[in-house]
């Protein structure tokens, strides 16, 4: 158990300090049922990211079809280019629904009484690692999506074409795959700047509201503890030197940012107040100490996807750090 989580004997500034070995945790018998459920989702995450990374869009075909509205061949070409892309976008969207359920299963395990978040991390280390992996995937997905305007352009063209019903004699079998209700839900999903983070934020908020007998602190303390763990690991050379891969450094940064955003959406006062259990100044400083290319997307996520950054209760020094 000590391989994953080592509790330091001291507390600095009243924030919990741990070392989490994100690289090697294995599930215990007690964890296996939930771990297997979540693993069935996570094992598809790399193919989702590969599919998104390879997404080139049908921009040229769409432009030519719009510029030549009477050219049937160009209309057909654009339509035949867009349809398989829409099927791929549906797959990404459906994966977000699976991820939402997986997150809620993990939250249930990591917040249930009588254990504290610290005790849960000690007892259920492999589940904590999976929680981190979901956050890591989420920020990677959203970074890729934000850099790809073709996604919304393709989907908008698809919806316009369907609604105008201009291609009656083309392949409309796709409506069996993506009916109007599905298209509406996909449209809301892709309209978000960071759709996966929005999915996780909503899932966490729903988890809290649906589990009325579970104190809110059980969930927010789980998130703040994970943020502290990541911050200390990132700022402590003795810890970072234990990573087998440099990718683990970026993994830690993404997880830290992900739990901060979730905390900010779920906690009534947010993550940025002086009373917050997350050391926001320390977390932002840790990010800013990294090469700019590695953290630009993460700093933007803190700026644009948190809920309380611009509240009056946010200290000016923290706002200034994120300018």
């Amino acid at each position: 158990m000590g391989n994953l989580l080592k509790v330091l004997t001291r507390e600095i500034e009243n924030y919990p300090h741990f070392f989490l070995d994100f690289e090697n945790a294995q599930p215990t018998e007690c964890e296996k049922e939930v771990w297997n459920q979540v693993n069935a989702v996570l094992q598809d995450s790399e193919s989702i990211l590969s599919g998104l990374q390879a997404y080139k869009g049908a921009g040229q075909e769409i432009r030519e079809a719009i510029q030549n509205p009477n050219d049937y061949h160009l209309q057909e070409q654009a339509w035949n280019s867009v349809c398989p892309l829409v099927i791929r976008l549906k797959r990404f969207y459906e994966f977000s629904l699976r991820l939402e359920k997986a997150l809620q299963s993990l939250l249930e395990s990591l917040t249930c009484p009588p254990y504290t978040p610290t005790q849960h991390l000690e007892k259920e280390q492999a589940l904590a690692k999976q929680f981190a992996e979901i956050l890591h995937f989420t920020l990677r997905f959203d970074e890729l999506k934000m850099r790809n305007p073709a996604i919304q352009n393709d989907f908008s063209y698809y919806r316009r074409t369907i609604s105008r019903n201009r291609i009656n004699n083309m392949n409309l079998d796709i409506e069996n795959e993506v009916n109007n209700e599905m298209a509406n839900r996909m449209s809301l999903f892709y309209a978000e700047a960071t759709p996966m983070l929005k999915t996780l934020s909503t899932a966490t908020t729903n988890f809290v509201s649906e589990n009325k007998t579970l104190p809110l602190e059980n969930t927010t303390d789980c998130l703040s503890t994970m943020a502290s763990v990541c911050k200390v690991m990132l700022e402590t050379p003795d810890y970072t030197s234990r990573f087998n891969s440099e990718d683990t450094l970026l993994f830690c940064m993404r997880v830290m940012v992900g739990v901060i955003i979730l905390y900010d959406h779920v906690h009534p006062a947010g993550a940025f107040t002086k009373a917050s259990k997350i050391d926001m100044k320390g977390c932002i400083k840790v990010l800013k100490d990294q090469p700019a290319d590695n953290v630009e997307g993460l700093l933007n996520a803190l700026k644009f996807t948190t809920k309380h950054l611009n509240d009056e209760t946010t200290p000016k020094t923290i706002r200034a750090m994120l300018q």
Side-chain angles (χ1 to χ4, degrees), residues 171-189:
N171 172 26
L172 288 181
D173 290 345
I174 190 170
E175 287 204 82
N176 297 327
E177 291 263 0
V178 183
N179 61 27
N180 195 49
E181 185 189 349
M182 172 62 76
N184 286 337
R185 284 187 278 143
M186 287 172 64
S187 185
L188 290 171
F189 177 75

Side-chain angles (χ1 to χ4, degrees), residues 196-206 261-262 265-266 305:
M196 286 290 177
L197 263 177
K198 174 67 174 176
T199 297
L200 295 198
S201 296
T202 303
T204 308
T205 304
N206 289 345
I261 293 166
L262 287 186
H265 279 261
V266 175
T305 65

Side-chain angles (χ1 to χ4, degrees), residues 3 12 15 95 135 173 190 205 247 260 267 270 313-314 317 323:
N3 287 340
I12 303 172
Y15 295 107
F95 185 77
L135 292 163
D173 290 345
Y190 287 111
T205 304
D247 290 343
I260 288 170
H267 195 286
T313 52
T314 300
T317 49
Q323 290 304 314

